[in-house]
Amino acid sequence: MDLSRRHLLAGLGSAPVLLSASAAMAQGIQPKRGGVLNVILNPEPPVLQIGINNQTPTLIQGTKITQGLLKFSPTLEPMPELAKSWTVSPDGLVYEFKLQENVKWHDGRPFTADDVIFSVMSFNKEVAPRLRGVIAGIAEATAPDPHTARFVLKQAFQPFLLCFDATALPMVAKHVYDGTDFRANPANARPIGTGPFKFVEWQRGNFVRMERFDGYWKPGQPYLDGILWRVIPDGQSRRLAIQSGQVQMTTATDIEPFDIPALRQAPNLDVVTKGWEYFSPLFWFEVNHRIKPFDDKRVRQAMSMALDRNFIVNRLWFGLGKAATGPISSTTRFHDPSVKLAPFDMNKAKALLDEAGVRANAQGVRGSFKYVIPPYGEIWNRMGEYFRQAMRQIGFEVTLESTDAGTWASRVANWDYEATSNVLYQFGDPTLGVERSYVTSNIQKILFTNTAGYSNPKVDELFAKARTSGNEAERKAAFSEVQKLLVEDMPLLWVVEVNYPTVTDKRLRNAVQLGTGNHASFDDVFLA
Amino acid sequence: MSRLPGFLLRRALKSVVVILAIVVCNFLLIHAAPGDPAMVMAGQSGSADPQYMEQLRRQFGLDRPLIEQLWIYLKGVLHLDLGFSHRQQVGVAQLILDRLPATLLLTGMAFAIAISGGVTLGALAARRVGTWADSVITVIALAFYATPLFWVGLMLVLLFSVHLEWLPSFGMTDPGLNQEGFALWLDVAKHLVLPAVTLGLFYLAVYARLTRATMLEVADQDFVKTARAKGVPEGRVLRAHVLRNALLPVITFAGIQAGQLVGGSILVETVFAWPGIGRLAFEALLARDYQVLMGVFFITSVMVVLFNLLTDLLYALIDPRVEMA
C-alpha cells in the first residue's frame, strides 16, 4: 500500500491535541497526583460493561475502564485514543488504524489488533443494536500486524469514524469474551479494560470502587488514585451530597434543572453545560400520526407554533440548553442554520387549525387527547404540564397520564399513545442518530424507531442518499433538503437541544473537555 | 403446653399453602404489569432493534408461555431456588442476601428506637394524663405520625449534614476510608443514625399513641381499682397491672411490623441511599426484573407468616388466658 496516496486523516488529530494532552498546563496549573474522586452514579446500572448495557450511567463510569480507538473534540474531530493514527482511502472504503503500543489489559495481557477485530466483528456486532447496520457494512476486517487494524467497507460510509468512540464501539478483551455468552459473562459485572482505572469492587445499591491502573499506557497517568461511584437514588439527596462536598461531581440527569440556579450560586461549585456535542440530546413532543387530527401537518405546525421555546429553555430548563430549530441539533454535523421553525404565535396557530378544519365548539374546545408523561424525573412532569397549558391556549384539552418506565416503554413501543415526549441522542451525524426517527423503513413497534409513524418518500430518499454517499458536499445538500422538508412536515415537535449540567467541585480539573463530556477516560483529571 | 406440637404442625401446613398461593398471585400480578424487562432495558439504552429485543427476551426466558414460566418458577421455589436476575446477571438469593444485613440493621434499629421510645413515652403520657407533659408528648407524636417520612429525612439531613456537618447524609459506609474492625463499625453507626431515627420516629409515634390509649383504657378497669384499694404502690400498679395488660395491642402491632422489617423501607432507603432490600424491590419493580421482585416478595411473605406465628405464641406467654388454637 502506498501511504502517500491516501488521504491522511490522522493529521486532523493535531487540532485537538492542545485540548487533550494538557488543558491544565495551558492554564499554567501543574496536574496534582493523588486523591479519590467521589461521583454520583444514578441510576445504578445493572451491569458495568459498556455495550452489554448502554444507559448513561453505565457509559459514564464505563469509559474510565473501557476505551475506544478514538475520542472526539467538541467540534466532533476525531482524536487519538487506543489508535494513535488512522488513514482513510480516497474512495472512503478502507480504514486503517495504527494502534498505540504498550497498551495492556487490566489483567496484564497485551492489547492487540486481534482485540480490535474481535470487539467490532463479534462483540459489538452482537450486542450493539444501534451499530448492527454499520458493522454489517464491513466487507473485511483484518489485522495485518499486531498494531494495525484494517476495515474494508462494502460501500463508503462517512460517519464510520464517529462509531469508534468508547461509548459506541468499546474495545473489549478477546481473551475474556471469545467463545462465551457475551451477555452472561461474569466480566460484565467486573469489567476488564485498557483504561486508566481498573475495577475493584461493587457493592450493589451502595458504591462502585475503581483504582488507578498502574500499567496504564500513558506514562505518569492517571493522576487520581481512584474513583468512587456513589449510588444515590433520590434527587434532593443528590443535590445535598454535592452541595455539602460529600461528592465532587454530578453528571447528566443527576441534578434536576430547577436546582441548578442555586448550585450556580454555590461558592464551592462549578456548573458546566458543555460536553454534549457528540450526543446532542434533542427533546421533543411526539404525537401519534395514526390518530386524527395529528395526521394533518397543519395541525402539527399549529401545535409547534403554540410552544414558546425560549420560555421553556429559560424557565423550565433554567438555561440548560437552547431552543431547537429543527430536527438536526446545532451541534450535530450537517445542521443547516438557515432552516428555521415557524415562530411562537398563538393567533397564527389558531388560524391554521381553523384552516385545517379543526374548529372550536361553543366552549372553545377543538378536541381532547391524552399525554403520557415519561417517568424520568421532575423535568418531564413540568414539560408535560407546560404542554397541557400551551395546548389549552389553542383549544386542545390535554389529560396527563403518569406511568412507570415499563409502562411508558411498552405504550410508546406499541404505538398505544396519543402524545408523549422523548429525548434522543444524535451521535454526531444525522445518519447515525436522526434518520431513525423519520424514515418509513424504521416504523417499528420498538422504542426509538419511527414510532410516530411519519412517512414521506422524498425524506426516505434523501436520508438513503446521505447514508450511502461518500461525498461530503452531496450529503450536506441532501441533509439541508431533508431539514427543509421536515420543518415543513413537523413530524415531531422539536423543543430543546438539551445540555445536561455537570456540577463539579471547583478543585476538580479537566472533567469536561471532549464532545462526549464526562464520557471520557479521566486519565488527565485531577483534584487541585 | 402439651398442645404446642399439634398447633405448630397445623400452622406450618397452613403457612405453606398460604405462601404458595402468595407466590402464584405475585407471579400473575407482576406479569400483568405493562412492559417487560427487555422493553425497559431498550428504553434505558436509547436504541433497539427487533433482533436485540428478541435476544433479550430469549435470554430472560420470556419467549416461553406464561404458564410454563410459572411452573419453572414454582419448581425453583420448592427447591428453595429463587432464580436468576438476567438483568443484573446475579442469582436472586445472592442479591437478597447482599442487601439483607443493611436492611435488618436499619429496620431493627428503627424498631428498637420505636418500641423502647414509644412505649416509654406512651406510658409517661398515660401516667401524667392531662398535664403539660402529656400534651407535649401527644403533640410531638402526632406531628411525627403526620409528617411524610422523606420530608423528615431531608430536614434531618439539612440540619445535621449540611449545616452542622456532624453526620453523613447518605450511604452505609464511607468507602473512601477502607476501614476495618471498630473503625468500620463506628462509621456504619454514624451513617445509621439519621435513617434509623427518621424511620424510627414514625413508628415511635404509633407506639406512643397506642400505649397511651390502651393504658388509659386499662387504668379505669375494676382490677386496677382493686389493686389500688388493697394498697399496691402506684408504680407497681402501673407496671404490673396496667402496662402489662396494655401491651397486648402493642405486641400485635409490633408483630405485624416485625414481619415487615425484612421488606425494608423504600422511602428511607431512597432518601439516605441505604443499600437495603426496599430499594432492591422498588428498582426491580421499575425495571420489571420479575425474579428479583418475586424473590423479595417470597422472603417477605415467609417472614410475615413466621412473625404472625411468633406473635401468637407470645400472646400465650404474656396473657395465659389466650389459648393456642
Side-chain angles (χ1 to χ4, degrees), chain A residues 61-380:
Chain A
Q61 61 78 32
T63 39
K64 317 298 173 272
I65 292 178
T66 304
Q67 296 181 295
L69 291 187
L70 306 173
K71 56 187 183 183
F72 292 87
S73 74
T75 51
L76 304 181
E77 298 301 338
M79 298 158 63
E81 186 81 329
L82 287 176
K84 62 180 175 188
S85 65
W86 53 95
T87 56
V88 183
S89 65
D91 59 5
L93 290 180
V94 184
Y95 287 74
E96 197 168 286
F97 297 92
K98 287 282 176 206
L99 306 181
Q100 309 276 5
E101 278 148 42
N102 303 321
V103 177
K104 283 195 195 73
W105 295 103
H106 294 161
D107 60 8
R109 306 265 287 255
F111 162 81
T112 67
D114 276 346
D115 291 309
V116 177
I117 305 295
F118 171 80
S119 294
V120 176
M121 303 310 288
S122 298
F123 182 82
N124 285 300
K125 186 177 180 182
E126 185 179 323
V127 301
R130 189 164 67 75
L131 294 172
R132 222 186 293 283
V134 176
I135 298 170
I138 299 173
E140 194 191 316
T142 50
D145 68 70
H147 293 108
T148 308
R150 193 165 171 271
F151 297 95
V152 182
L153 306 188
K154 291 173 185 162
Q155 57 182 340
F157 185 69
Q158 275 225 324
F160 193 61
L161 283 179
L162 274 168
C163 303
F164 282 89
D165 187 72
T167 57
L169 286 176
M171 292 298 133
V172 298
K174 184 179 179 186
H175 64 270
V176 171
Y177 280 97
D178 199 13
T180 69
D181 175 357
F182 300 155
R183 287 201 177 80
N185 194 305
N188 297 339
R190 354 178 17 93
I192 291 168
T194 57
F197 297 94
K198 62 177 189 213
F199 170 86
V200 178
E201 182 188 11
W202 182 10
Q203 284 191 14
R204 281 178 198 263
N206 204 352
F207 62 85
V208 174
R209 187 200 303 278
M210 294 178 189
E211 273 171 14
R212 176 210 311 274
F213 173 44
D214 286 324
Y216 186 54
W217 54 274
K218 284 189 193 171
Q221 286 178 306
Y223 302 122
L224 293 170
D225 289 336
I227 305 179
L228 270 172
W229 302 86
R230 316 291 303 269
V231 179
I232 308 182
D234 178 65
Q236 286 310 299
S237 304
R238 290 195 291 271
R239 177 194 157 169
L240 292 175
I242 183 85
Q243 222 174 352
S244 62
Q246 295 176 84
V247 300
Q248 293 87 42
M249 184 169 91
T250 74
T251 62
T253 55
D254 288 347
I255 301 292
E256 287 283 355
F258 59 78
D259 280 329
I260 287 299
L263 295 185
R264 282 191 202 274
Q265 301 298 320
N268 59 327
L269 300 177
D270 277 329
V271 177
V272 182
T273 54
K274 286 183 300 191
W276 290 94
E277 296 81 7
Y278 178 88
F279 304 107
S280 296
L282 182 62
F283 182 105
W284 64 59
F285 292 116
E286 177 168 335
V287 291
N288 190 336
H289 293 210
R290 300 163 194 89
I291 289 164
K292 282 193 186 306
F294 302 141
D295 56 338
D296 188 329
K297 74 175 177 190
R298 287 170 298 182
V299 173
R300 301 192 298 263
Q301 284 165 351
M303 291 168 81
S304 170
M305 282 180 205
L307 302 173
D308 184 348
R309 290 173 173 79
N310 288 322
F311 177 88
I312 293 174
V313 168
N314 294 325
R315 297 301 168 84
L316 296 177
W317 289 87
F318 293 93
L320 300 174
K322 55 190 272 197
T325 59
I328 299 178
S329 288
S330 58
T331 42
T332 301
R333 283 184 186 162
F334 304 109
H335 165 79
D336 186 341
S338 72
V339 174
K340 293 266 187 306
L341 291 173
F344 170 58
D345 189 333
M346 287 289 183
N347 291 327
K348 260 195 181 160
K350 286 180 206 160
L352 201 56
L353 286 173
D354 287 338
E355 189 194 314
V358 184
R359 291 180 194 285
N361 63 13
Q363 285 78 42
V365 176
R366 295 174 200 267
S368 59
F369 59 92
K370 289 180 180 151
Y371 173 96
V372 190
I373 304 174
Y376 296 119
E378 185 53 32
I379 183 65
W380 296 85

Side-chain angles (χ1 to χ4, degrees), chain B residues 79-122:
Chain B
H79 289 97
L80 293 180
D81 171 9
L82 292 184
F84 189 79
S85 165
H86 290 284
R87 179 182 158 84
Q88 307 190 49
Q89 293 293 324
V90 183
V92 172
Q94 182 68 46
L95 276 174
I96 293 179
L97 277 179
D98 283 353
R99 298 290 187 94
L100 206 54
T103 286
L104 289 180
L105 188 62
L106 170 63
T107 51
M109 184 56 85
F111 190 58
I113 293 175
I115 290 215
S116 57
V119 172
T120 311
L121 286 178

Side-chain angles (χ1 to χ4, degrees), chain A residues 46 55 126 132 183-184 204-205 209 228 230-234 237 240 246 404 406-407 410 436 444 446-448, chain B residues 35 39 42-44 46 49-51 55 59 87-90 95 99 157 169 173 175-176 271 273 275 279 288:
Chain A
Q55 283 174 258
E126 185 179 323
R132 222 186 293 283
R183 287 201 177 80
R204 281 178 198 263
R209 187 200 303 278
L228 270 172
R230 316 291 303 269
V231 179
I232 308 182
D234 178 65
S237 304
L240 292 175
Q246 295 176 84
D404 72 345
T407 311
S410 117
R436 56 182 174 158
Q444 300 193 62
I446 286 182
L447 270 186
F448 308 115
Chain B
M39 270 185 191
Q44 291 167 332
D49 71 352
Q51 193 185 336
Q55 281 172 345
Q59 186 200 1
R87 179 182 158 84
Q88 307 190 49
Q89 293 293 324
V90 183
L95 276 174
R99 298 290 187 94
V157 167
S169 71
T173 54
V271 169
R279 258 174 62 206
R288 301 286 187 270

